[in-house]
Amino acid sequence: MAKDPVCGMDIAEETSAGASFHKGRRYYFCSTGCKEKFDADPEQYVKEGSSEPMGTVSEGGPEENRGTRGNTRRLDIPVTGMSCAGCAAGIERELKDLEGVEKASVNFATSRATVFYEPRLIDPAVFVSSIEKSGYGVGKASMELLVEGMSCASCVARIETEIGRIAGVLGVQANLATGRVRIEYVPGGFSPDEAGKAVTGLGYKVHETGGKGSAEDLEAVLREREYRSLRKKVAAGGLLAVLIFLGGMPRLFPWVPGILRNFFVLWALATPVQFVIGFQFYRGAWASVRRRSADMNTLIAVGTSAAYFYSVAATIAPSFFHEAGIVPAVYFDTSAVIIVLILFGRMLEAGAKGRASEAIRRLMNLRPKTARVIRGETETDIPVDAVEVGDIILVRPGERIPVDGTIIEGVSAVDESMISGESLPVDKSAGDEVIGAAINKFGSFKFRATKVGKDTTLAQIIRLVQEAQGSKAPIQRLADVVAGYFVPAVMSIAVLTFIVWFDFGPSPSLTFALLNFVAVMIIACPCALGLATPTAIMVGTGRGAERGILIRSGEGLETAHDVDTVVFDKTGTLTCGEAVVTDVVPAAGRTEEDLLRLAAGVERNSEHPIAQAVVKKARERGIEPEDSRNFEADPGKGVVAEILGGTVIVGTSKYLAEKGIDMEPSAAAGNSLTLNGKTVIYVAAEGRMAGFLAVADALKDGSAEAVAKLKAMGLGVVMLTGDQRLTAEAVALKAGISRVAAEILPGEKAEVIKRLQAEGKKVAMVGDGINDAPALAQADVGIAIGSGTDIAMEAADITLVSGDLAGVASAINLSRRTIRTVKQNLFWAFIYNVVGIPVAAGILYPFFGILLNPMLASLAMAFSSVSVLANSLRLKRARI
């Protein structure tokens, strides 16, 4: 059992009063008062080296961080210049070899490197340097702060040191003369407002912030810049390639001017295509050589260079060819057209990648730019980034809610569809919570901001989706392994092809050997393999986010498709979670008021929903609970306290029987209520039965329909609860569930999951409470209800934002469709290479006289990558 970091008291699973972050860890508290004390001065309570309270997680938050402790940080780095899975694998190896790096993953589809590192051992600038030395670029951004109060070199040093500690900062320069601080950073691990807060925390004033660069903005800019650059290269290279092609095919185009047929003119036209427009292939190939590896750039650079330099030789030394009995011919058209077609394919890829991440861009576009804040007697429009916790904000009809908060005045209906997937507007009034980016449909209202910046629901959703899109599914390991051996194998096949054709091919054997060598090098591209898995995951997770289904990782998405059993927690998941006392049955000689007074006196010390329902019922009848002492709780069983000098026990029949209470007088009446699906709690005073109370918790709307849908998909359904068996079976019957695990203590829920797994089941656990967290983590797939607690969502692989249980079936169906798409992509990528390489090598020539022109090979190579992307994009229209 965890201890509160403020008072040191044990925290029962049901009584956590919320959580706070401090130095990258999450802490839980036994009461609201302790949480407030901690928030006011966390350093007073948390020292380095102290034991970690329940549920602390390291900075970063994704499931990959589970088990990572201390000061480990996560940094996402936008990478430019990658052209295939081999590039990603090379960068990943370089990053993993750096001291202080715990884990590194590079995703070709998202063009992002994710690094988990120990900041005491390595500076983030080293990652950037390593990537750039490998021949690739890093998306960096910069900003400026205008700081008032710097008076000496010491001020400069303090500011530079404080900002330099922020994750993602690459460099800081503070200028004492101008009062400006320039910051260079990687947007994936840095928010510009963090710098301003850091400087303000040192006692200086920040008057303005200049510069751009959220991670999302920068990545969008980088993608657009890449697309425009490729489009210009394709346009310029295409014009030159057409001229070269026309001049190089005089028999097909006899009307072409003679000057275009001149070898030297063709050479002049081909050279800028080869070395200017195609320079990126040479740069990438050289970077691979420095890493002692090979990738797609190597294949293209070597293949086109072979055709180009052969043609140069035929142009400047034709006599050499005549002496060898070969009519000199040039293949400038082959090298030029190949380069242009490959760039054209990459241009289409860049556009398709952008469409694959449309869902997350739409989420980002939901964020309002300003908020109307009431400070004192005035209303002021300020940037959303400037809103602080506690600010009072006014929202008018038709406006988007700027941040998360709680309504303090007014009534309205709010459209939360883009956040939760819930299609109908939700009625809101004072005391209700509102989500930033939701649309206020009708009335005006005021609310108090409770979460701002990166703590808002929308920001967390965006973070979760980004992490899922950047993660690797286990199925991708096969493609990564194949890609690692692929290029060297292809180069070996190409060399063997050249040797066989040169030694045994028909005359002119050198020409046949060269063309088939180039065709093999060009057609064998690992791009399709590298894109097969991540693009499908990008689109699948984005599609889920649009429906209010947040998938934390590629691993969770893949595992969900194998699930054959779904386990539901009862209270708060299948049911509303709001217990109401329906029956008060006193024992002989007692009144209902007497029974309620005793029961409420004990239960007032507990925050369990049933306890709160008992206290609420007593006060509704005007009965004030008795004062109690020496309260003791036995989670899942009952509670004991002293009232008016006597011992009062409240709990299950089994618990009271263990305490020596004779249950016979109330057993029959209590069992009849239990059979009706009600939870019965018994009360004993001074060693004798005082009566019992029945509490009911209704099924949520749609619970039975959700269960029926899962059964229709061929899945087994189990209900898990701490309630007595008769009560549990009555609720399960209403929900359509036949298998029930009842009277399960909170700590035993994970054991139930283990038993199901021992039966060979692939289990998905659906829950919402703190006591569900171990079971969510133990299950093959944990699914948390978005209306539940933070710790449940931290332990889960999938979160249903709206809390609608229909999302369970939708999540599993989405997983099935996504993994089916991945397998289709991998199949076609493998088949394309298995068939294409032998054809390019000339295997059909002895039988049918068919050879593959290198230009057609380049077109096929480009088509393979685009087809994989197009297949993944079909998921955007999938019905889940």
Side-chain angles (χ1 to χ4, degrees), residues 371-374 387 391-395 402-403 445-447 449:
R372 187 170 294 107
V373 176
I374 301 174
V387 175
D391 278 342
I392 304 300
I393 301 169
L394 174 65
V395 183
V403 296
F445 62 84
K446 296 176 184 177
F447 74 96

Side-chain angles (χ1 to χ4, degrees), residues 357-368:
S357 58
E358 274 181 6
I360 198 167
R361 279 207 304 276
R362 281 200 292 269
L363 285 172
M364 289 184 241
N365 290 336
L366 291 177
R367 296 179 298 187

Side-chain angles (χ1 to χ4, degrees), residues 102 180 407 445 521 661 799:
E102 292 190 2
R180 290 187 175 271
I407 294 178
F445 62 84
M521 295 286 279
I661 306 300
T799 299

